[in-house]
């Protein structure tokens, strides 16, 4: 059973930084970060596949960086220059077969960690 556990969320002022972590029991083909605010669909933030190729949502390019520590089975999301519109619940996800930015394609999910950015 694949388990994903996020940590590192919190409250920060605009312009600040946070690093999210996702400990996982298995390293699957695709790992990613998604976020969701109440009343909206879950959106893809960034994904990384087994070769290290990454994709980012346009809204976070140049500010967020995804990375994977295979030795420690941990996925990271470094978030810099945070904006109030980055406020959301952030989820770690994994899939065995595909690597896209679509949340519906991911099989396994963590419980989420809240990120709040104040202006």
């Amino acid at each position: 059973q694949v388990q994903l556990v996020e940590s590192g969320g919190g409250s920060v002022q605009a312009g600040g930084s946070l690093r999210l972590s996702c400990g996982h029991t298995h390293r699957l083909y695709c790992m990613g970060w998604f976020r969701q605010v109440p009343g909206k669909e879950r959106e893809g933030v960034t994904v990384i596949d087994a070769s290290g190729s990454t994709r980012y949502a346009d809204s976070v390019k140049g500010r967020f960086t995804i990375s994977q520590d295979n030795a420690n089975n941990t996925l990271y999301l470094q978030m810099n220059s945070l904006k109030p519109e980055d406020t959301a619940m952030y989820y770690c996800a994994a899939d065995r077969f595909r690597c896209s930015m679509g949340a519906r394609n991911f099989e396994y999910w963590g419980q989420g960690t809240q990120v709040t950015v104040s202006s």
Side-chain angles (χ1 to χ4, degrees):
Q1 181 70 19
V2 178
Q3 294 184 340
L4 307 171
V5 180
E6 303 96 336
S7 62
S11 297
V12 65
Q13 289 191 330
S17 298
L18 283 174
R19 188 176 78 159
L20 306 184
S21 300
C22 173
H24 48 87
T25 54
H26 299 74
R27 172 61 168 101
L28 302 187
Y29 172 67
C30 185
M31 307 288 296
W33 290 97
F34 293 78
R35 65 187 181 186
Q36 189 171 24
V37 297
K40 292 190 176 182
E41 291 190 358
R42 194 168 295 186
E43 66 169 349
V45 176
T46 178
V47 297
I48 184 169
D49 69 18
S51 72
S53 293
T54 58
R55 296 173 64 181
Y56 292 89
D58 288 343
S59 59
V60 306
K61 282 181 182 177
R63 301 187 298 122
F64 290 13
T65 303
I66 189 172
S67 61
Q68 170 68 33
D69 181 347
N70 291 321
N72 294 306
N73 274 2
T74 305
L75 180 73
Y76 297 102
L77 180 64
Q78 179 66 44
M79 305 186 293
N80 298 327
S81 301
L82 282 161
K83 304 175 181 180
E85 51 263 44
D86 295 318
T87 295
M89 184 70 78
Y90 282 72
Y91 297 90
C92 174
D95 193 81
R96 291 176 291 169
F97 305 116
R98 292 172 291 188
C99 209
S100 75
M101 296 287 278
R104 295 180 180 180
N105 296 326
F106 280 74
E107 299 174 273
Y108 303 101
W109 292 87
Q111 294 301 306
T113 185
Q114 178 68 38
V115 171
T116 302
V117 184
S118 59
S119 57

